[in-house]
Structure formats: C-alpha cells, structure tokens
Amino acid sequence: MPKQRLSNYEDELAAQRSAWERKPALRSVYRSWYARIVEQLAPVGPTVEIGGGSGNFKEFFPEAISTDVIPAGPWLDCLLDARELPFAASSVGNFVMADVLHHLPRPFDFLRDAQRALRPGGRLIILEPAATPWSRLVLGLFHHEPVDLDQDVFGEDGTPPPLNDGYTFANQAFGSLLFVRGPQETLNRVPGLRLRSIDRSDFLVYPATGGFSYFCLVPERFAEPLQRLEGRIVGRTGRLTAMRLLIVLEREP
C-alpha cells in the first residue's frame, strides 16, 4: 500500500515487482486470494487475466492467459486495453481481475464488454478493495489512491471517459459502489450478468504486510495462520472491518 503516487503505470508495476520479490508475507496473503479466485472459476475455458501487472497471478495459475495494457514483463501473453476487449462474443470461459476494476474510469463499458465475450455460464471474478470504515481509515493513511464513495459512477455511465494519461486513474470505492451499495442498478445496466456471490475478507494481516510499500510487520510463517484466525472475525464484522471484496459474476445461459 504505497502512499507515494507514481507518475505512470509502468513505474507502479516496477515498484510492485520489487516489493513482491522481497516480501514473502505479502506473497502468502496474495496466494490465499488467488486460491479463492481459482476456486470460483467456471469449468470452461479459457481463463483470461485482465491487468496481469507484475505477473503474480500467472505465477500462481500458469494456465491463465495474462494480459495488460503495457508490456510489463515476459509473463504476459498478450497486450490489450480493458476498455476495448478484442475477444469474440461467447469465446471466454472466465475473466479474472485483481485490483483492476477501480482503475477503469467507466467500469460499465468494461462490464458490458466482458458480458459479451463470456461464454454462457462463464464468470467474471473481481478482487477489489472493500470500502468499509476500517479499510477507508487504513487506505487513507497508507495508500495514495482515493476511496471516493461520493463519485456518481451510475450518473457518469455513458459519458465520455476522462483522459487517463499514464493509466493512473483510481477510485478504490468502485467495488463497493457497484456491488454493495447498488448491485441491482449495476445488474440492470449489464443485462445477462448475475451476481453469483460477494465475499468480504481480510482485516489486520494484509495492512500489516504493508502491501507493496517498504515496510512489513508480519513474518511469513505467521501470515497464513493469522489470516485463518481473522477470517472468523471478518465473517461477523465484515461490513465494518473487511479490507477486500471477492465479487463473482456469471453470464446467464
């Protein structure tokens, strides 16, 4: 969770890769997230990762087709812009994206395009920040990207997107705005998708790793057992304390 804002997406990915390689506790947390994502995959292929970034999901799940908007590294299989997916209709089994949706200024454009490209029964699996009171405090103190619950994401639908030089646009509240505050309105605007599940997770362990910043307060050997312990807490208090949302959307037959 770096507090310093970098000037472009390429620099951001370089900083993330460096943090990933030196922080085993962070890798442990992400492995738990990736395992949950893989558990939700529909039994049809292919699986396409949107925003492959620093290659972490591809490392965990090599069969994924990893994509990004810039040539970030050898782990990428192809370049594409999530704002204009090049896939034929009904050709993709799963789309997977971790911390990508909140970087798309007009998320409904992407959601409609993903629905078009998914096979019947295919899934869009989205990992995003949860805009809870606890996460907003933590992210406000330690992360450079805003959590703006006042953005009118529904009113902006259909309007021209802003310039996004360096792909630096971000609003970490998008997951909550679309799927916690306004799930029915979201689905009304993307016919053919249904919300299969939305799960809240994470409380203290993830912020204690420091995310992709310089510090880490959790030894690797404690990360996994502590995550299991806090899972019991978040199961009861997630609307107040969760740091993460795992959103699973499915294309209707």
Side-chain angles (χ1 to χ4, degrees):
M1 294 180 289
K3 185 65 175 176
Q4 179 183 5
R5 178 184 291 274
L6 299 177
S7 60
N8 59 64
Y9 181 46
E10 188 172 6
D11 291 344
E12 188 90 32
L13 290 183
Q16 288 182 9
R17 189 66 189 179
S18 175
W20 179 264
E21 291 173 348
R22 71 175 184 269
K23 298 177 73 170
L26 178 66
R27 296 195 298 270
S28 177
V29 169
Y30 267 81
R31 282 195 300 268
S32 72
W33 295 346
Y34 293 154
R36 293 170 59 216
I37 288 173
V38 170
E39 286 176 358
Q40 295 296 331
L41 293 176
V44 291
T47 293
V48 176
E49 180 191 15
I50 302 295
S54 51
N56 309 330
F57 182 73
K58 177 75 170 181
E59 183 179 299
F60 182 87
F61 191 70
E63 45 271 63
I65 299 171
S66 186
T67 74
D68 212 316
V69 72
I70 64 171
W75 48 83
L76 294 181
D77 296 298
C78 66
L79 297 180
L80 62 80
D81 191 328
R83 296 172 296 182
E84 191 172 354
L85 298 178
F87 303 103
S90 302
S91 65
V92 176
N94 298 278
F95 285 112
V96 170
M97 53 200 306
D99 289 327
V100 175
L101 186 69
H102 69 265
H103 290 293
L104 303 178
R106 295 292 181 267
F108 283 108
D109 293 345
F110 167 78
L111 292 173
R112 295 186 187 102
D113 209 8
Q115 187 277 337
R116 173 196 62 81
L118 282 172
R119 301 181 188 276
R123 295 176 187 170
L124 170 58
I125 303 170
I126 304 169
L127 182 69
E128 280 288 303
T132 61
W134 169 247
S135 72
R136 292 171 69 190
L137 173 64
V138 172
L139 294 172
L141 290 172
F142 299 109
H143 202 290
H144 62 281
E145 294 173 355
V147 185
D148 183 5
L149 284 167
D150 294 324
Q151 182 171 346
D152 186 6
V153 66
F154 297 103
E156 292 170 354
D157 183 25
T159 65
L163 293 177
N164 193 15
D165 293 338
Y167 306 105
T168 56
F169 172 87
N171 181 0
Q172 295 186 94
F174 272 7
S176 293
L177 287 171
L178 294 171
F179 300 106
V180 177
R181 285 194 171 186
Q184 192 56 56
E185 178 67 14
T186 296
L187 297 177
N188 288 344
R189 291 170 183 257
V190 193
L193 280 185
R194 71 181 185 95
L195 182 60
R196 181 179 173 87
S197 63
I198 180 166
D199 294 320
R200 296 169 177 84
S201 68
D202 297 272
F203 176 32
L204 294 173
V205 178
Y206 170 54
T209 69
F212 289 99
S213 69
Y214 60 90
F215 75 89
C216 181
L217 305 178
V218 183
E220 179 187 14
R221 65 183 182 277
F222 294 141
E224 184 176 343
L226 286 174
Q227 274 195 299
R228 290 198 300 267
L229 177 62
E230 75 175 11
R232 302 173 187 175
I233 300 172
V234 177
R236 298 183 178 184
T237 66
R239 291 185 178 274
L240 298 175
T241 63
M243 293 289 299
R244 286 285 173 175
L245 298 174
L246 184 65
I247 302 146
V248 182
L249 300 162
E250 185 172 83
R251 181 178 169 181
E252 296 175 349

